[in-house]
Every structure is written in C-alpha cells, then in structure tokens.
C-alpha cells in the first residue's frame, strides 16, 4: 500500500469520525434574507430596528409575556408593528430560550420541522445560538416501538433542511431580538439573545396540530418565550383588509382556538376579492392557542396594513397584527399576580412631584408647561398610564383632577393634571401665587389596566375597578375602598350604578378591568 493511499485512508477516517482533540466547526445557517426583507448593512440595520423600537418606548411593559405574535414582512412594511410586540416585554425579564414558530412559505411538510442541524443562525448583527439539545429532544418525542423491538419514529417533529434553507419568517425576527436585548443590556445580565429553537409548521391536520401543542406545552413555562411569526390578510383591498383583519384579530384576542378557526373560515367564505389567506401563520397560531387556558390573556397591541405605509397601493395589501400573550395565573398564595412590571423609584416620584409643582408655578407665571429632561426612553415616566393629582392646603382638599387612560406619557399627564387641579377644578377657586408654598401635592399613578373575567380576580383595597360597556364607563380608585365600608360586590355595584350609569347589576355583562394605584 502506498504512502499516498495510507494518507487518504487516514484523512477519510478523520473526516468521518472527527479528529481527536479537535472540535468540528459549528454549523451556521446564513442570513439568506439580508438585502431582501431587511438591509444587509449592520450599521443601517441596527439604526433601522432601533428606530422602530423607539416608537414604542412609551408603551406598557409586561413582566409575564409568555408569547408574542409578530409579523414577518419586509421591515419597511411591518417593522413598526413587529417592534410593538417586542417592546411590550419588560426590560428586566429574562428567558432561558426562545421558541420561534412560523409557517413554511416554500415546502409542504404535513407536520413541523425543527432545525437540528444548525448551531447558530447568522444575521448582519452577529450569530444567535440554537438550543440544539431541545431541538433534538423535540424530534425524539413520540417514538414508538415495532413488534420486532426496533424504534419507529412517529414524531410530528422532524428535520427537513428544505423547510429552513430559504424560509424568511423566523430569520426576520432575529435582528429585532438582537437589538432588543442589546438596548436592555444595562438592565439584564447578558446582551445575548437566549438560545432559539427554530420551528417551521406546515400542516392543516388538526390532530397533528394538537400533538404539536401537546409536545410543546411542557416548554410553555415562565422561563421560555414563544415568538409566533405571522402576517395576516394577504392581497385584498385596503378596506377589505381592515374588515377581514378585524374579525381575525378579535378571534385571536378571545384566546379561543375554535373562534379563531371559525373566523378564518368565515373570511374564506366572505367572497372578498383577492383574499388568499387570513393569516399565513394560521397553523402556528393554532398551535399556540391550543396551549392556552384561563390563566392566559391575549392583549392586542397594534394593527396596520401595507396600505397605511406612505399611502402605499390600496388595491392589494397585506395586514399586520401584533399581540402579547400574558400569563396571569396566581403566585401560589391565591393572590392574582399583576401583569405589569411597573415600578417607580424614589427618584421617579421626586421628579414627578417637581414636575407637578413646576407646572403650577409656570402656569402662574404665564409660561407653557416645560418638558422634563429624561435620561432614558426606558424611564417609567415615559410609560403611558393614568394619574390623579390632588392638592391639599393645611389638610383640606384644594383641588383634584385626574386622567384615566393609557394614551399619554406619565410625565405629561402629571404636569397637565397638576395644572388642571390648581386652576380648573369647578369646586374651588383657582390657586393663587400666595398659596403656592402652602400646597401639599399628592399623586396617584395608575398602573396599566388588566382585564378580568371574574370578581374572584378583584382584590378590595388593592385594585381599582374600571367598568366599560358600549359608550358608558366608570371607575373607582383603589383608595375609595378605604373610605367606605363596602363589600367587594357593593364596591363594583356602586361603580356600575353611580359612575358608569349601567345600573346596580350592569357590570355583570360589561368589560371589567383592574389596576393599582401608586400613591405618594
């Protein structure tokens, strides 16, 4: 045997078995959609994604986000809506892994494909690690034995390379995740995206979708985030898209998978011209919804379609929704957990009191309300929530005005309500300059609202109640319970009757929301 033959044999053996003491190069799935769905220039990409995220810096942040439903079109069209979902996640929240679920746009799988080959997914911003162990574990689920003792794979999860090679629906989420975690790096322990589990779903077999959800359910815990990638209506007119997407979105928000499927079917029968689908990620959404129960709340975040972007073509549009799925449940003590991670530090409270005082003083001087200097757009003072400002003089009420809603940043609401309490409360004469130094300012900041389905979720003295039915609504602040000797039912009954004008029992078929008040 020649030396050349021996070297060839040794080289082949080393390639097959791996060279001792050396590790094989990691498998990296390339950024196939760069310069297609998003720019391939790293600097431009960072700036573009950051600009989208910044649009939602004042939105409510939730510490118990279990999943988000996010669009996956080109960033020019759907980047704004996608950012609204990621920015709903509380900055301090950490996840062990992220499950990415989306549809196959190129291959029919009659099941699901999880990428067990790639060690990393690349984007122009760097590489995101794949949780290879979890990916493999999914493909090994539901194995059964033949009569001869050998194993026969009967898993709904397999690995099909062609399902991932050209697919964009998962890849386009990665730059958003990369920039989101980087922007929050000062608040969490790592700037890296948690390892991902990339799953492409393509089957209309309801039993298989149930099996998918059954396998994934053990991972649907507080330590993991599920990102469901889906656009909504494809190619109807602008007006038809709004109608179709409203029906689909309402069904998603219900959390009821049967209602969602019924909405999809109703849209298909509607006769809308050029409506190819109501949701391209329909099967991924169904898989998610099959894992939901009463402890989850689906919160709609934003809707646009491509026709809303710079007055783009209204004859043929694609719809984009975003949702956050919140895990409410309880904390083991029987007490319902709040669904927000909203906290005001002593410094935040001090700044708000200064804002309130300066607003009154500047109004007396004939000046406009000044805008405060905030060190970060992640400041709680930029969150959109309601607030009441009460003025007291020598222990007596001198004015109280509030705004109930989630439509303006907190610092703006406090400034405006302080001015209104001083000069617009019809029960009192306007505050004068001589009184300014005798005023005590009390601020009640209302945390973002959470819808409840039962009075069992309402806690007297802790929660305020907001009742809404049609155009009628009313609220009692939490501290009202400290001033009266009412039961929970009386508290809600009086609010329904005296504030919302719905009658004593009108709350029973109305929408109920709870919130808390941070009073200082």
């Amino acid at each position: 045997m020649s030396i050349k033959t021996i070297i060839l044999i040794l080289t082949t053996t080393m390639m097959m078995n791996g060279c001792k003491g050396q590790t094989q190069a990691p498998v990296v799935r390339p950024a196939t959609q760069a310069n297609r769905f998003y720019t391939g220039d790293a600097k431009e990409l960072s700036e573009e994604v950051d600009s989208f995220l910044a649009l939602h810096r004042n939105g409510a942040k939730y510490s118990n986000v279990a999943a988000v439903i996010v669009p996956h079109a080109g960033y020019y069209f759907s980047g704004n809506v996608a950012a609204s979902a990621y920015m709903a996640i509380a900055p301090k929240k950490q996840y062990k892994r992220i499950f990415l679920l989306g549809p196959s746009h190129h291959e029919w799988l009659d099941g699901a494909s999880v990428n067990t080959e790639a060690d990393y997914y690349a984007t122009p911003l760097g590489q995101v690690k794949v949780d290879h162990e979890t990916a493999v574990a999914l493909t090994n689920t539901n194995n059964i034995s033949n009569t001869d003792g050998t194993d026969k794979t009967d898993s709904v999860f397999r690995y099909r390379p062609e399902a991932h090679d050209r697919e964009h629906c998962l890849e386009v989420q990665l730059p958003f995740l990369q920039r989101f975690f980087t922007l929050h790096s000062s608040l969490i322990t790592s700037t890296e995206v948690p390892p991902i589990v990339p799953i492409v779903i393509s089957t209309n077999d309801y039993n298989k979708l149930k099996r998918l959800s059954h396998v994934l359910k053990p991972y649907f815990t507080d330590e993991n985030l599920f990102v469901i990638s889906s656009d909504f209506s494809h190619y109807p007119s602008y007006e038809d898209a709004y109608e179709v997407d409203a029906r689909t979105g309402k069904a998603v928000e219900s959390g009821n998978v049967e209602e969602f499927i019924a909405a999809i079917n109703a849209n298909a029968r509607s006769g809308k011209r050029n409506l190819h689908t109501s949701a391209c990620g329909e099967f991924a959404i169904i898989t998610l919804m099959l894992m939901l129960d009463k402890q989850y709340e689906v919160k709609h975040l934003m809707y646009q379609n491509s026709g809303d972007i710079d007055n783009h073509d209204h004859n043929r549009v694609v719809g984009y929704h975003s949702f956050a799925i919140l895990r409410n449940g309880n904390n083991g003590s029987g007490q319902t957990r709040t669904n927000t991670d909203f906290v005001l530090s002593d410094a935040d409270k001090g700044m708000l009191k200064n804002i309130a005082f300066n607003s009154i003083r500047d109004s007396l001087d004939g000046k406009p309300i000044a805008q405060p200097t905030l060190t970060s757009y992640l400041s709680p003072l930029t969150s959109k929530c309601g607030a009441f400002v009460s003025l007291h003089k020598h222990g007596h009420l001198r004015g109280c005005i509030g705004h109930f809603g989630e439509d303006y940043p907190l610092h703006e609401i406090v400034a405006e309500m302080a001015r209104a309490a001083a000069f617009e409360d019809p029960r009192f004469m306007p505050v004068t300059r001589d009184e300014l130094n005798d005023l005590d300012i009390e601020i009640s900041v209302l945390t973002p609202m959470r819808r409840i389905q039962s009075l069992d979720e309402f806690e007297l003295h802790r929660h305020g109640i907001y009742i809404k039915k049609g155009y009628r609504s009313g609220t009692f602040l939490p501290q009202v319970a400290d001033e009266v000797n009412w039961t929970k039912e009386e508290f809600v009954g009086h609010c329904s009757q005296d504030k919302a004008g719905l009658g004593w029992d009108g709350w029973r078929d109305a929408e109920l929301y709870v919130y808390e008040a941070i009073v200082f």
Side-chain angles (χ1 to χ4, degrees):
M1 183 181 297
S2 68
I3 294 178
K4 183 176 180 180
T5 303
I6 294 173
I7 292 175
L8 179 61
I9 293 173
L10 289 174
T11 303
T12 304
T13 304
M14 287 163 52
M15 291 176 62
M16 292 176 62
N17 300 327
C19 188
K20 223 173 190 182
Q22 297 183 10
T23 57
Q24 293 181 338
V27 177
V28 180
R29 192 264 190 193
T32 62
Q33 306 306 314
N35 293 319
R36 296 188 67 223
F37 284 78
Y38 57 86
T39 177
D41 182 275
K43 184 176 183 297
E44 292 179 3
L45 180 58
S46 292
E47 292 174 349
E48 182 179 24
V49 174
D50 288 357
S51 68
F52 285 130
L53 296 174
L55 293 173
H56 303 278
R57 61 193 178 195
N58 296 330
K61 309 293 187 284
Y62 301 95
S63 62
N64 56 343
V65 176
V68 290
I69 299 177
V70 193
H72 56 235
Y75 285 7
Y76 174 79
F77 291 108
S78 68
N80 185 19
V81 179
S84 70
Y86 291 112
M87 288 298 281
I89 302 172
K92 296 180 182 179
K93 179 62 179 175
Q94 297 184 54
Y95 295 99
K96 183 177 181 179
R97 62 178 72 84
I98 297 176
F99 286 79
L100 294 174
L101 279 67
S104 174
H105 289 84
H106 305 287
E107 303 291 335
W108 179 250
L109 307 174
D110 197 25
S113 175
V114 54
N115 196 330
T116 58
E117 179 183 28
D119 297 298
Y120 296 91
Y121 269 51
T123 81
L125 304 182
Q127 296 180 354
V128 178
K129 184 176 177 57
V130 174
D131 187 339
H132 185 264
E133 182 179 350
T134 300
V136 171
L138 292 177
T139 62
N140 290 335
T141 307
N142 292 345
N143 286 349
I144 60 176
S145 297
N146 289 320
T147 56
D148 61 0
T150 60
D151 288 336
K152 179 179 72 175
T153 300
D154 188 37
S155 175
V156 284
F157 288 99
R158 293 180 174 84
Y159 172 50
R160 294 270 296 276
E162 64 274 17
H164 302 269
D165 291 344
R166 296 179 294 155
E167 185 54 58
H168 67 273
C169 70
L170 307 186
E171 180 185 324
V172 298
Q173 307 303 337
L174 299 181
F176 274 99
L177 288 166
Q178 288 171 305
R179 291 308 300 162
F180 173 80
F181 281 99
T182 298
L183 288 171
H184 294 76
S185 60
S186 61
L187 300 176
I188 61 176
T189 59
S190 173
T191 62
E192 293 183 355
V193 178
I196 61 172
V197 183
I199 301 171
V200 174
I201 299 175
S202 175
T203 179
N204 57 4
D205 186 326
Y206 187 69
N207 287 327
K208 288 187 177 181
L209 294 173
K210 288 177 68 175
R211 287 172 60 193
L212 289 173
S213 67
H214 178 75
V215 174
L216 291 171
K217 187 65 181 278
Y219 297 97
F220 196 52
T221 62
D222 190 53
E223 68 178 7
N224 298 320
L225 173 68
F226 277 63
V227 174
I228 312 302
S229 184
S230 179
D231 295 337
F232 282 79
S233 65
H234 281 53
Y235 315 132
S237 68
Y238 181 86
E239 294 76 14
D240 286 347
Y242 262 85
E243 180 182 337
V244 166
D245 288 330
R247 182 184 293 119
T248 311
K250 183 178 179 181
V252 173
E253 196 172 8
S254 75
N256 186 306
V257 68
E258 293 179 357
E259 187 171 333
F260 174 68
I261 294 173
I264 295 290
N265 292 335
N267 289 339
R269 295 192 301 268
S270 67
K272 299 297 184 186
R273 186 172 177 269
N274 288 336
L275 178 62
H276 289 205
T277 181
S278 295
C280 60
E282 171 188 355
F283 306 130
I285 294 173
I286 290 175
T287 301
L288 170 70
M289 296 184 77
L290 285 168
M291 293 190 285
L292 303 183
D293 53 37
K294 291 184 178 180
Q295 72 167 310
Y296 295 96
E297 173 190 0
V298 181
K299 191 171 188 68
H300 184 257
L301 300 173
M302 188 176 180
Y303 172 78
Q304 283 184 333
N305 67 49
S306 57
D308 293 312
I309 314 303
D310 296 335
N311 292 317
H312 200 264
D313 182 12
H314 281 204
N315 294 318
R316 180 182 169 90
V317 305
V318 177
Y320 314 115
H321 279 292
S322 61
F323 300 87
I325 290 76
L326 310 178
R327 181 180 290 106
N328 293 324
N330 64 63
N331 58 12
S333 64
Q335 302 295 315
T336 303
R337 299 185 306 186
T338 181
N339 70 347
T340 61
D341 190 36
F342 188 87
V343 177
L344 291 174
S345 67
D346 290 341
D348 293 329
K349 294 175 183 178
M351 180 173 283
L352 286 174
K353 292 193 72 171
N354 287 335
I355 289 171
F357 179 83
N358 292 339
S359 174
I360 298 172
R361 184 195 60 195
D362 290 345
S363 295
L364 287 168
D365 292 339
K367 298 178 181 178
I369 296 176
Q371 292 296 314
T373 301
L374 303 178
T375 58
S376 169
Y377 69 66
L378 297 175
S379 168
L381 274 59
T382 67
S383 297
K384 291 182 178 179
C385 51
F388 282 70
V389 176
S390 301
L391 306 179
H392 292 83
K393 179 182 176 182
H394 304 311
H396 298 287
L397 185 66
R398 187 64 180 82
C400 179
I401 298 290
H403 177 79
F404 190 83
E406 300 177 4
D407 45 0
Y408 294 99
L410 176 58
H411 66 87
E412 292 184 14
I413 288 298
V414 167
E416 184 60 39
M417 293 305 103
R419 187 194 61 77
F423 306 110
E424 297 179 7
D425 190 329
R427 299 170 294 178
F428 303 94
M429 294 295 292
V431 167
T432 66
R433 181 177 299 282
D434 293 339
E435 297 177 279
L436 188 59
N437 291 329
D438 293 327
L439 294 179
D440 289 321
I441 299 175
E442 180 184 272
I443 301 174
S444 299
V445 176
L446 311 183
T447 64
M449 293 187 295
R450 172 173 62 85
R451 186 170 180 179
I452 61 174
Q453 304 299 325
S454 166
L455 277 192
D456 293 338
E457 301 176 64
F458 171 69
E459 298 177 43
L460 203 59
H461 300 284
R462 177 187 177 188
H463 289 148
I465 192 75
Y466 175 63
I467 302 173
K468 181 178 184 296
K469 182 178 180 182
Y471 295 104
R472 294 182 178 272
S473 63
T475 188
F476 273 153
L477 295 173
Q479 51 264 48
V480 170
D482 301 330
E483 302 168 3
V484 297
N485 188 28
W486 290 338
T487 65
K488 183 190 299 187
E489 288 74 17
E490 289 172 330
F491 187 91
V492 177
H494 276 291
C495 184
S496 176
Q497 176 180 273
D498 304 339
K499 293 292 185 176
L502 296 173
W504 186 263
D505 291 319
W507 62 269
R508 297 185 183 278
D509 59 353
E511 296 177 16
L512 302 180
Y513 298 84
V514 294
Y515 57 90
E516 297 178 38
I518 303 173
V519 183
F520 53 96

Coordinates of all heavy atoms in Angstrom, one line a residue, residues 454-456 458 460 465 467 476 486-497 503-505 507-508:
S454 N -63.7 37.5 36.1 CA -64.5 37.2 37.3 C -64.1 38.1 38.4 O -63.0 38.6 38.5 CB -64.3 35.8 37.7 OG -64.8 35.5 39.0
L455 N -65.1 38.4 39.3 CA -64.8 39.2 40.5 C -63.8 38.5 41.5 O -63.2 39.1 42.3 CB -66.1 39.5 41.3 CG -66.9 40.7 40.8 CD1 -67.9 41.1 41.8 CD2 -66.0 41.9 40.5
D456 N -63.6 37.2 41.3 CA -62.6 36.5 42.1 C -61.2 37.1 41.8 O -60.3 36.9 42.7 CB -62.6 35.0 41.7 CG -63.9 34.3 42.1 OD1 -64.6 34.8 43.0 OD2 -64.2 33.2 41.5
F458 N -60.6 40.2 41.5 CA -60.6 41.6 42.0 C -60.3 41.6 43.5 O -61.0 40.9 44.3 CB -61.9 42.3 41.7 CG -62.1 43.6 42.4 CD1 -61.3 44.7 42.0 CD2 -63.0 43.8 43.4 CE1 -61.4 46.0 42.6 CE2 -63.1 45.0 44.1 CZ -62.3 46.1 43.7
L460 N -60.3 43.9 46.9 CA -60.7 45.1 47.5 C -59.5 45.7 48.2 O -58.7 45.0 48.8 CB -61.8 44.8 48.5 CG -62.8 46.0 48.9 CD1 -63.4 46.5 47.6 CD2 -63.8 45.5 49.9
I465 N -61.3 49.6 40.0 CA -62.1 48.9 39.1 C -62.5 49.8 38.0 O -62.8 51.0 38.2 CB -63.4 48.3 39.7 CG1 -64.1 47.3 38.8 CG2 -64.3 49.4 40.2 CD1 -63.4 46.0 38.6
I467 N -65.1 49.8 34.7 CA -66.2 49.1 34.1 C -66.6 49.8 32.7 O -66.8 51.0 32.7 CB -67.5 49.1 35.0 CG1 -67.1 48.4 36.3 CG2 -68.6 48.4 34.3 CD1 -68.3 48.5 37.3
F476 N -63.7 53.4 40.0 CA -63.4 53.8 41.4 C -61.9 53.5 41.6 O -61.4 52.4 41.3 CB -64.2 52.9 42.4 CG -65.5 53.5 42.7 CD1 -66.5 52.6 43.1 CD2 -65.8 54.8 42.7 CE1 -67.8 53.1 43.5 CE2 -67.0 55.3 43.0 CZ -68.0 54.5 43.4
W486 N -67.7 49.0 52.3 CA -68.5 48.2 51.3 C -67.8 46.8 51.1 O -66.6 46.7 51.3 CB -68.5 48.9 49.9 CG -69.3 50.1 49.8 CD1 -70.3 50.5 50.7 CD2 -69.1 51.2 48.9 NE1 -70.8 51.7 50.3 CE2 -70.1 52.2 49.2 CE3 -68.3 51.4 47.8 CZ2 -70.3 53.3 48.4 CZ3 -68.4 52.6 47.1 CH2 -69.4 53.5 47.4
T487 N -68.6 45.9 50.8 CA -68.1 44.6 50.3 C -67.6 44.7 48.9 O -67.8 45.8 48.2 CB -69.2 43.5 50.4 OG1 -70.2 43.8 49.4 CG2 -69.8 43.4 51.7
K488 N -67.0 43.7 48.4 CA -66.5 43.7 47.0 C -67.6 43.9 46.0 O -67.5 44.7 45.1 CB -65.8 42.4 46.7 CG -65.2 42.3 45.3 CD -64.7 40.9 45.0 CE -63.6 40.4 45.9 NZ -63.0 39.1 45.5
E489 N -68.8 43.2 46.3 CA -69.9 43.3 45.4 C -70.5 44.7 45.4 O -71.0 45.3 44.4 CB -70.9 42.3 45.7 CG -70.6 40.8 45.4 CD -69.5 40.3 46.3 OE1 -69.3 40.8 47.4 OE2 -68.9 39.3 45.9
E490 N -70.6 45.3 46.6 CA -71.1 46.7 46.8 C -70.2 47.7 46.1 O -70.7 48.7 45.5 CB -71.3 47.0 48.2 CG -72.4 46.3 48.9 CD -72.4 46.5 50.4 OE1 -71.3 46.7 51.0 OE2 -73.5 46.4 51.0
F491 N -68.9 47.5 46.2 CA -67.9 48.4 45.5 C -68.2 48.4 44.0 O -68.2 49.5 43.4 CB -66.5 47.9 45.9 CG -65.4 48.8 45.4 CD1 -64.9 49.8 46.2 CD2 -64.8 48.7 44.1 CE1 -63.9 50.6 45.8 CE2 -63.8 49.5 43.7 CZ -63.3 50.5 44.6
V492 N -68.3 47.2 43.4 CA -68.5 47.1 42.0 C -69.9 47.6 41.6 O -70.1 48.3 40.6 CB -68.2 45.7 41.5 CG1 -68.5 45.6 40.0 CG2 -66.8 45.3 41.8
G493 N -70.9 47.3 42.4 CA -72.2 47.7 42.2 C -72.4 49.2 42.2 O -73.0 49.8 41.3
H494 N -71.8 49.9 43.2 CA -71.9 51.3 43.2 C -71.1 52.0 42.0 O -71.6 53.0 41.5 CB -71.2 51.8 44.5 CG -72.2 51.8 45.7 ND1 -73.2 52.7 45.8 CD2 -72.2 51.1 46.8 CE1 -73.9 52.5 46.9 NE2 -73.3 51.5 47.5
C495 N -70.0 51.4 41.6 CA -69.3 51.9 40.5 C -70.1 51.8 39.2 O -70.2 52.7 38.4 CB -67.9 51.2 40.3 SG -66.9 51.9 39.0
S496 N -70.8 50.6 39.1 CA -71.6 50.4 37.9 C -72.8 51.3 37.9 O -73.1 51.9 36.8 CB -72.1 48.9 37.9 OG -73.0 48.7 36.8
Q497 N -73.4 51.6 39.0 CA -74.6 52.4 39.1 C -74.2 53.9 39.1 O -74.8 54.7 38.3 CB -75.3 52.1 40.4 CG -76.6 52.9 40.6 CD -77.3 52.5 41.9 OE1 -78.1 51.6 41.9 NE2 -76.9 53.1 43.0
G503 N -76.6 50.8 36.0 CA -77.4 50.1 37.0 C -76.6 49.2 37.9 O -75.4 48.9 37.6
W504 N -77.2 48.8 39.0 CA -76.5 48.1 40.0 C -75.9 46.8 39.5 O -74.7 46.4 39.8 CB -77.5 47.7 41.2 CG -76.8 47.1 42.3 CD1 -76.7 45.8 42.6 CD2 -76.1 47.8 43.4 NE1 -76.0 45.5 43.8 CE2 -75.6 46.8 44.3 CE3 -75.8 49.1 43.6 CZ2 -74.8 47.0 45.4 CZ3 -75.0 49.4 44.8 CH2 -74.6 48.4 45.6
D505 N -76.6 46.1 38.6 CA -76.1 44.8 38.1 C -75.5 44.9 36.7 O -75.2 43.9 36.0 CB -77.2 43.7 38.1 CG -77.6 43.3 39.5 OD1 -76.7 43.2 40.3 OD2 -78.8 43.2 39.7
W507 N -72.7 45.7 35.6 CA -71.3 45.2 35.5 C -71.3 43.8 35.0 O -70.2 43.3 34.5 CB -70.6 45.4 36.8 CG -71.1 44.6 37.9 CD1 -72.1 45.0 38.8 CD2 -70.8 43.3 38.3 NE1 -72.3 44.0 39.7 CE2 -71.5 43.0 39.5 CE3 -69.9 42.3 37.8 CZ2 -71.5 41.7 40.1 CZ3 -69.8 41.1 38.4 CH2 -70.6 40.8 39.6
R508 N -72.3 43.0 35.3 CA -72.3 41.6 35.0 C -72.1 41.2 33.6 O -71.5 40.1 33.3 CB -73.5 40.9 35.6 CG -73.7 41.1 37.1 CD -74.9 40.3 37.6 NE -75.1 40.5 39.1 CZ -74.4 39.9 40.0 NH1 -73.5 38.9 39.7 NH2 -74.6 40.1 41.3

